[in-house]
């Protein structure tokens, strides 16, 4: 079995910072892309940032220059440093990982962590 466990969400004032972490555990051969997605009430889940196993990153336009995604392959962990937070960043943030087990790749999701930015 595989688990993705997120941490680091919370309540912050506009302009503040938060750092999210997501650790994958279980029977894992390797991890390809990892990423963060978010879903605000009444809206679809959108990509925030992704990172390949070779550390190539991709960001949504709305977070470029404010958020930084990184990963520690030895720890099977992905991070999201969020700076200059805005009220519109309020959402549930989900971690995603493309994990290879027994020769097959599959998408796994974390349980979600709430980020609330007050104005």
């Amino acid at each position: 079995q595989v688990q993705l466990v997120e941490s680091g969400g919370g309540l912050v004032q506009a302009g503040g910072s938060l750092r999210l972490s997501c650790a994958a555990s279980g029977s894992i051969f390797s991890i390809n892309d990892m990423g963060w997605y978010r879903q605000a009430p009444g809206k679809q889940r959108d990509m925030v940032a992704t990172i390949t196993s070779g550390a190539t990153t991709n960001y949504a336009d709305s977070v470029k220059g404010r958020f930084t995604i990184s990963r520690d392959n030895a720890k099977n962990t992905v991070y999201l440093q969020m700076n200059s937070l805005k009220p519109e960043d309020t959402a549930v943030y989900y971690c995603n990982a493309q994990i290879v087990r027994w020769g097959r790749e599959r998408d796994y999701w974390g349980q979600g962590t709430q980020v609330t930015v007050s104005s």
Side-chain angles (χ1 to χ4, degrees):
Q1 292 183 348
V2 171
Q3 277 191 314
L4 297 184
V5 179
E6 300 151 350
S7 60
L11 173 64
V12 65
Q13 288 189 332
S17 298
L18 284 173
R19 188 190 194 213
L20 306 182
S21 299
C22 172
S25 63
S27 177
I28 296 171
F29 178 75
S30 63
I31 304 178
N32 293 328
D33 291 1
M34 302 184 83
W36 291 94
Y37 293 71
R38 66 187 181 188
Q39 187 168 18
K43 296 190 176 181
Q44 67 181 20
R45 188 176 299 187
D46 292 325
M47 186 274 291
V48 175
T50 62
I51 184 168
T52 69
S53 57
T56 298
T57 59
N58 184 43
Y59 295 94
D61 288 343
S62 59
V63 307
K64 282 181 181 176
R66 299 188 298 122
F67 290 10
T68 302
I69 189 170
S70 61
R71 64 190 282 175
D72 184 333
N73 290 331
K75 296 181 179 179
N76 290 336
T77 300
V78 63
Y79 306 96
L80 186 67
Q81 178 66 43
M82 304 185 293
N83 299 329
S84 303
L85 282 160
K86 304 175 181 180
E88 50 263 45
D89 294 318
T90 295
V92 177
Y93 284 69
Y94 296 92
C95 168
N96 171 266
Q98 298 174 350
I99 295 176
V100 179
R101 302 174 68 225
W102 306 110
R104 293 185 176 182
E105 179 188 279
R106 215 196 94 179
D107 265 349
Y108 289 85
W109 292 90
Q111 79 284 0
T113 185
Q114 178 70 47
V115 171
T116 303
V117 185
S118 63
S119 57

